[in-house]
Amino acid sequence: MSIEVLRLWPGDAPGALGSAGDDVPMLKPFLASKPTGAAVVVCPGGGYTHLAAHEGDPFAEWLAGKGIHAFVLKYRLSPKYKHPVMHGDVSRAMRTVRAGADKWNIDPRRIGVMGFSAGGHLASSVSVHFDAGNPAAADPVERASNRPDLSILVYPVISMIATHRHVGSQVNLLGNDASEEIRQKMSSDLQVTAQTPPAFIYHRTGDGAVPVENPLLYALALRRAGVRFELHVYDKNGHGQGFARDEPVDRDWTDRLAQWLIGQAFIT
């Protein structure tokens, strides 16, 4: 069940360059009719320049059908905005859901993030760059942690390093002249620690947009840090396939995800 969209900030968002629709980050809730107490923030892809519709509401509806409250994030985009604005938007989204746990009957220890392509980069970045919140903040939302309890990374952009990067996402997020320091900082595989949340990762070997090295590097980093993960890489070409329901090779990937979510106690 979808309800009214929520502004992430009551006034202008930090760093806002105007007050039009594209300047206002929002959350669109899809509440499960038989909730398990879990929630997921959904970040559609689109190369940081647009939001792919087929990676937003349809997956929120799928999650809600499994008993998980889902919240589709409308984050700010390039070329008008650059990092760290997008990271600020996903962080605020995670804090908003956690701060509203009582209102939505959510377990604040079972709040995940799901992202596709560039949205997968956004989801991975909040999984490696997070904090416990500011207990002294006047705004109760800012007192909540932005750390996801798990991440679902769907053909994700991970690296901002030249060898494996998705050029469009890197330029749109960081600009043409990004330093090596910021590109390494925003390469999620290089920032994994033992506190990084568990991950489910789905990709294709023949993804011509986002090289398969992206999820492999992240999975290896999780392994080295002792963080649990499940990795599904299918022998198939293409990118941005969403559910892939018409694909005989990998149309079952959401079944694998559902089984993993059962193991994570997000689905009962």
Side-chain angles (χ1 to χ4, degrees):
M1 177 183 67
S2 176
I3 62 176
E4 183 179 359
V5 295
L6 310 169
R7 292 176 69 109
L8 286 180
W9 283 271
D12 289 341
L17 300 175
S19 57
D22 60 353
D23 300 302
V24 183
M26 309 280 282
L27 271 184
K28 185 177 182 181
F30 289 76
L31 302 184
S33 59
K34 297 179 180 180
T36 66
V40 169
V41 172
V42 180
C43 306
Y48 281 118
T49 63
H50 65 282
L51 300 177
H54 72 291
E55 295 167 350
D57 292 9
F59 278 91
E61 291 168 352
W62 182 85
L63 289 164
K66 303 291 185 186
I68 299 171
H69 289 336
F71 299 81
V72 178
L73 174 61
K74 189 192 98 175
Y75 53 94
R76 287 171 286 178
L77 297 165
S78 183
K80 193 170 187 177
Y81 292 98
K82 300 291 185 191
H83 176 75
V85 166
M86 295 79 154
H87 185 78
D89 290 351
V90 71
S91 293
R92 179 72 177 191
M94 296 301 302
R95 298 188 207 280
T96 296
V97 174
R98 189 161 276 122
D102 288 344
K103 175 173 63 176
W104 291 308
N105 294 316
I106 292 169
D107 181 348
R109 297 164 299 179
R110 287 192 291 150
I111 301 173
V113 67
M114 181 179 198
F116 301 76
S117 193
H121 180 263
L122 197 59
S124 71
S125 70
V126 79
S127 298
V128 297
H129 298 292
F130 53 80
D131 59 64
N134 178 6
D139 181 355
V141 173
E142 292 300 313
R143 298 175 206 152
S145 172
N146 63 338
R147 180 186 181 274
D149 295 300
L150 59 76
S151 64
I152 302 164
L153 307 178
V154 185
Y155 37 85
V157 174
I158 295 292
S159 179
M160 294 282 146
I161 305 302
T163 308
H164 306 303
R165 63 179 177 158
H166 176 244
V167 176
S169 293
Q170 188 233 286
V171 171
N172 293 330
L173 180 69
L174 303 178
N176 285 305
D177 301 318
S179 68
E180 180 68 15
E181 179 182 7
I182 190 63
R183 288 193 291 115
Q184 290 199 16
K185 182 179 179 181
M186 296 312 295
S187 293
S188 297
D189 59 303
L190 301 180
Q191 306 302 322
V192 167
T193 69
Q195 286 70 50
T196 300
F200 177 96
I201 311 168
Y202 157 58
H203 212 90
R204 289 175 167 180
T205 58
D207 189 323
V210 179
V212 71
E213 284 84 356
N214 282 262
L216 297 179
L217 287 168
Y218 194 73
L220 286 171
L222 294 174
R223 174 68 174 170
R224 286 192 295 268
V227 177
R228 292 173 295 117
F229 67 91
E230 186 163 315
L231 173 65
H232 293 269
V233 180
Y234 292 81
D235 186 14
K236 187 79 172 64
N237 296 336
H239 179 79
Q241 61 272 16
F243 282 104
R245 284 173 171 150
D246 296 327
E247 298 286 352
V249 174
D250 54 354
R251 63 187 176 192
D252 67 339
W253 78 267
T254 51
D255 297 332
R256 307 284 73 76
L257 171 58
Q259 290 298 315
W260 185 76
L261 288 168
I262 291 171
Q264 303 300 313
F266 269 54
I267 296 176
T268 56

